[in-house]
């Protein structure tokens, strides 16, 4: 019996010492010191031993039990400690590792060109006005001296919403809206989105215009030429030649289209300028007396000039972009280049 107790104790201590995880240790505890352990069974069967041996055997069992419990406690501390160490090592953050860089964005090329164009006029003393993109027939056409059924309406492929409601085909209606509310002197620019039923490499159904107009006493065509020449040189380069060509718009008389020397061939003639050496940039003219009458200004007292340009077109020419869709696809590989 004594040998048996000794052997059980040794076996338990050895097994406890060899456990590698807290879970394995728990198994060993159940096996060697739990209620159903061999040692416990042994204690129960002590009654069958000779009376004079019982105290000694009892003491031995108790001693074995406490030795096992002590070993369990000690091993538990060791294992918990090493599991903790492993966990900490696994979760360790290396603060010397380089961080992930934050990439900085920038404005869309169209926004950049729009801001640049606005800035040039603002420095000349123009102020900004805006109007609705969903516009009435009156402001988009009639007020601008474009009567219903008049052939001049064919200049715009209009997207109608209802008979007399449409998506504005140009920013010119803002002229009427501002002049209805305010009195000269006025120097206004109106940037914004416009819509037409048009779609190919150089036309998008949505695009951007910058409108401008100036009304005062004694405004001349010379003022128009000076203002627009200065604008075009600031935006395309001060060495660029500019020319004014007679043209027609219902809301101006006389009207002129303004060209800038080709940005690619510098006037020699190439594919971009259709061998002319010139690029058409904007429409302009002296505000038609009928427009002044529509807003209640006296055409005998006031005169003014107006102009309108496509911002998408200017961006494409400035940056050599050959397809307008690139401006609307928002492919980061394209946008990154600006
Ligand atoms: N609104 C014209 C267009 O979209 C552009 C334009 C031409 C505006 C002459 C003007 C102007 O103010 O005077 O085609």
């Amino acid at each position: 019996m004594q040998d048996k107790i000794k052997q059980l104790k040794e076996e338990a201590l050895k097994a406890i010492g060899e456990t590698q995880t807290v879970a394995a240790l728990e198994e060993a505890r159940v096996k060697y010191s739990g209620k159903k352990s061999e040692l416990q069974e042994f204690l129960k069967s002590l009654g069958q031993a000779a009376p004079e041996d019982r105290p000694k055997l009892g003491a031995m069992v108790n001693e074995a039990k406490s030795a096992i419990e002590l070993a369990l406690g000690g091993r538990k501390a060791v294992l918990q400690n090493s599991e903790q160490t492993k966990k900490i090592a696994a979760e360790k953050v290396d603060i010397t590792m380089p961080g992930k860089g934050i990439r900085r964005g920038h404005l869309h090329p169209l926004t950049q060109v729009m801001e640049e164009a606005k800035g040039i006029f603002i420095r000349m003393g123009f102020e900004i006005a805006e109007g609705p993109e969903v516009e009435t027939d009156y402001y988009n056409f009639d007020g601008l001296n474009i009567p219903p059924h008049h052939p001049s309406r064919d200049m715009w492929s209009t997207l109608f919403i209802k008979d007399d409601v449409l998506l504005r085909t140009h920013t010119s209606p803002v002229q009427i809206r501002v002049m209805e509310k305010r009195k000269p002197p006025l120097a206004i620019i109106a940037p914004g989105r416009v819509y037409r039923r048009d779609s190919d490499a150089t036309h998008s159904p949505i695009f951007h215009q910058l409108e401008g107009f100036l009304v005062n006493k004694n405004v001349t065509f010379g003022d128009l030429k000076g203002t627009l020449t200065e604008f075009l040189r600031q935006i395309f380069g001060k060495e660029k030649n500019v020319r004014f060509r007679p043209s027609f718009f219902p809301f101006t008389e006389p009207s002129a289209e303004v060209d800038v020397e080709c940005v690619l061939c510098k006037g020699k003639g190439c594919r971009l300028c259709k061998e002319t050496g010139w690029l058409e940039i904007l429409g302009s003219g002296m505000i038609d007396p009928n427009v002044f009458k529509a807003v209640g200004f006296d055409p005998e007292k006031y005169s003014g000039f107006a102009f309108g340009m496509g911002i998408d077109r200017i961006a494409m020419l400035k940056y050599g972009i050959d397809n307008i869709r690139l401006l609307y696809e928002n492919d980061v590989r394209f946008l990154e280049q600006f």
Side-chain angles (χ1 to χ4, degrees):
M1 285 260 250
Q2 291 186 13
D3 288 347
K4 179 77 181 157
I5 295 168
K6 234 175 132 184
Q7 189 199 325
L8 260 175
K9 176 180 152 189
E10 240 111 75
E11 186 192 323
L13 293 181
K14 183 161 177 274
I16 289 165
E18 282 167 359
T19 53
Q20 293 304 324
T21 62
V22 175
L25 185 68
E26 176 58 17
E27 274 175 38
R29 187 194 64 76
V30 172
K31 184 165 175 199
Y32 296 110
S33 98
K35 287 201 182 73
K36 290 185 181 138
S37 65
E38 251 181 286
L39 214 57
Q40 209 61 32
E41 296 298 322
F42 209 89
L43 217 50
K44 285 184 203 151
S45 63
L46 218 58
Q48 287 150 23
E52 64 275 21
D53 291 340
R54 281 183 209 162
K56 191 160 180 233
L57 287 174
M60 270 186 83
V61 173
N62 283 333
E63 189 272 332
K65 266 187 77 176
S66 45
I68 290 169
E69 269 154 26
L70 199 68
L72 282 168
R75 189 67 188 161
K76 189 168 183 181
V78 170
L79 290 178
Q80 271 176 346
N81 201 338
S82 84
E83 279 182 16
Q84 180 96 10
T85 312
K86 269 188 224 150
K87 197 169 165 220
I88 289 170
E91 287 173 358
K92 191 171 158 193
V93 174
D94 182 355
I95 56 162
T96 66
M97 289 261 282
K100 282 188 195 145
I102 296 170
R103 291 210 303 170
R104 191 160 164 201
H106 62 69
L107 294 176
H108 190 283
L110 273 177
T111 313
Q112 289 183 35
V113 172
M114 185 64 105
E115 290 301 311
E116 188 184 350
K118 273 159 45 177
I120 295 169
F121 285 111
I122 284 166
R123 286 190 290 279
M124 290 182 190
F126 285 76
E127 45 173 319
I128 295 181
E130 280 180 290
E133 290 174 25
V134 175
E135 191 49 284
T136 62
D137 196 277
Y138 175 77
Y139 287 108
N140 199 84
F141 293 127
D142 294 312
L144 289 161
N145 196 30
I146 315 167
H149 309 299
H150 195 277
S152 61
R153 287 208 175 193
D154 290 350
M155 288 174 82
W156 299 273
S157 358
T158 311
L159 291 155
F160 281 91
I161 291 172
K162 289 194 292 191
D163 273 353
D164 57 350
V165 182
L166 45 81
L167 293 172
R168 66 177 180 190
T169 59
H170 49 183
T171 40
S172 303
V174 184
Q175 290 188 32
I176 308 299
R177 288 184 173 274
V178 172
M179 288 193 274
E180 272 183 348
K181 291 209 182 76
R182 297 173 57 178
K183 292 267 157 291
L186 291 170
I188 305 285
I189 51 168
R193 253 185 266 199
V194 299
Y195 302 81
R196 288 186 200 172
R197 225 191 69 236
D198 256 347
S199 185
D200 61 31
T202 54
H203 296 87
S204 154
I206 302 179
F207 61 105
H208 300 78
Q209 283 191 339
L210 183 68
E211 186 83 14
F213 65 100
L214 183 143
V215 184
N216 204 352
K217 287 174 183 152
N218 305 317
V219 178
T220 67
F221 199 88
D223 296 322
L224 177 155
K225 278 187 85 174
T227 306
L228 295 178
T229 303
E230 177 56 24
F231 167 76
L232 290 168
R233 292 212 169 128
Q234 284 199 36
I235 205 139
F236 285 105
K238 60 177 184 303
E239 72 293 347
K240 287 276 180 311
N241 281 321
V242 171
R243 77 173 182 188
F244 290 74
R245 239 177 336 100
S247 185
F248 171 79
F249 296 102
F251 29 88
T252 46
E253 183 58 35
S255 304
E257 268 181 310
V258 189
D259 300 344
V260 75
E261 207 177 280
C262 181
V263 292
L264 249 193
C265 63
K266 311 221 169 3
K268 286 189 206 70
C270 67
R271 206 174 54 100
L272 183 65
C273 59
K274 300 196 186 89
E275 307 300 333
T276 63
W278 297 95
L279 299 167
E280 275 179 43
I281 302 297
L282 54 85
S284 66
M286 300 306 290
I287 297 175
D288 195 289
N290 283 341
V291 173
F292 282 150
K293 281 181 204 153
V295 296
F297 287 5
D298 181 357
E300 298 301 324
K301 194 169 162 195
Y302 294 112
S303 58
F305 65 80
F307 54 90
M309 67 189 85
I311 293 298
D312 305 65
R313 178 166 163 81
I314 294 177
M316 288 170 76
L317 294 171
K318 245 175 102 89
Y319 295 127
I321 300 164
D322 59 6
N323 194 322
I324 195 166
R325 274 170 262 252
L326 289 166
L327 292 172
Y328 293 94
E329 279 168 354
N330 286 331
D331 185 330
V332 182
R333 291 167 301 180
F334 168 76
L335 296 177
E336 260 172 359
Q337 301 173 43
F338 301 91

